[in-house]
Amino acid sequence: AMGMPNTGVGPGVGKGVRGVKVGGKKVMGPWVQRWVLRGEEAEVFTPAGAQSVKWKQFGAGAAKDPLLWLKGSLDLPQADNVSFALDLSSMNKGVAYVNGFHIGRYWLKAGKCDGACAPPVKNGHCYMHWQNCEKPTQSLYHVPSGVLKPTGNLVVLFEETAPESARDPFAIRLVALAEHGSVTHAVLV
C-alpha cells in the first residue's frame, strides 16, 4: 500500500492523518484509515451478517448519501431454463452481493460520444457509429444460478459515492434472461 512499509502491512496497520487543526485549534481524533469497511468486517452481505446489524428504512434523505449499505430481498421470477441478472440501472457506483456471493463492482456512469464515428477509424473509414450515447455501458449484472434460491434472495449493495441524481433501490430487479432478451422480473422489497 502506498506510504506503507514493505513488511508487516495488513488491515491492523494504520496510516494517514495524525492530527488536524481547524482555525488554529486542534481537532481530536483518533484519525485512522481502515483497509476494511465496517460493513465488510461484519459481513453484512451474508445472511448471518445482515441479521447482526440494525438496518434503517431507506428514505429520501439517504438517496444522495455518499456511503450507503442497502439490503433487500428478491424472489425468483417464474421462468424455466434461463439465466438471471441483477438490474442496477437505478443505482450509482459500488459493490453488489447476492446471498453472500460477490457478483462484482458496478458503476453506472453515462458514456460519452465524440464525433460521428466510434473508434477505430482507419484510413478515414467509419467502421462503427456511436450507439446509446449518454447511457451506461452496462446495467445488468449476471447472478450465477447456483447462488439463487426460489424465494428470499438477500441482495446487499454498498454504494460508495454520492450519485449525480438520486438513486432508487426500489427499482432494482432480478431479471430472467432468455435467448432473445428479458422475459420477466422480480422487484426488490
Side-chain angles (χ1 to χ4, degrees):
M2 194 162 146
M4 299 294 283
N6 289 333
T7 61
V9 178
V13 177
K15 86 170 201 179
V17 178
R18 303 237 184 252
V20 174
K21 286 187 179 181
V22 176
K25 294 182 182 178
K26 188 174 182 177
V27 179
M28 300 305 292
W31 303 101
V32 295
Q33 178 174 336
R34 297 176 53 90
W35 283 41
V36 179
L37 297 168
R38 287 199 167 102
E40 289 176 314
E41 194 171 65
E43 296 184 348
V44 299
F45 47 84
T46 65
Q51 291 180 0
S52 72
V53 296
K54 184 177 180 183
W55 295 85
K56 294 180 185 175
Q57 188 70 29
F58 182 83
K64 286 201 166 203
D65 282 352
L67 297 173
L68 188 64
W69 285 94
L70 298 159
K71 175 186 79 121
S73 178
L74 288 170
D75 295 338
L76 286 184
Q78 293 297 320
D80 293 324
N81 300 321
V82 296
S83 295
F84 294 95
L86 201 59
D87 180 353
L88 298 175
S89 59
S90 64
M91 301 309 289
N92 185 43
K93 179 181 182 183
V95 183
Y97 301 88
V98 176
N99 294 328
F101 182 82
H102 181 246
I103 64 168
R105 297 184 53 76
Y106 61 91
W107 189 6
L108 290 120
K109 185 166 181 68
K112 301 284 183 210
C113 298
D114 186 28
C117 295
V121 177
K122 294 182 180 176
N123 299 324
H125 181 71
C126 183
Y127 289 91
M128 196 167 43
H129 293 281
W130 290 109
Q131 295 179 359
N132 299 319
C133 296
E134 304 301 323
K135 291 183 181 178
T137 56
Q138 181 178 350
S139 61
L140 295 176
Y141 295 83
H142 179 254
V143 182
S145 297
V147 170
L148 296 167
K149 306 179 293 185
T151 60
N153 290 288
L154 173 68
V155 177
V156 176
L157 305 178
F158 174 66
E159 283 274 297
E160 62 186 57
T161 61
E164 294 172 11
S165 61
R167 59 177 72 95
D168 182 9
F170 300 108
I172 295 171
R173 305 175 302 147
L174 187 60
V175 180
L177 302 173
E179 189 175 328
H180 299 290
S182 66
V183 186
T184 184
H185 67 273
V187 178
L188 189 72
V189 290

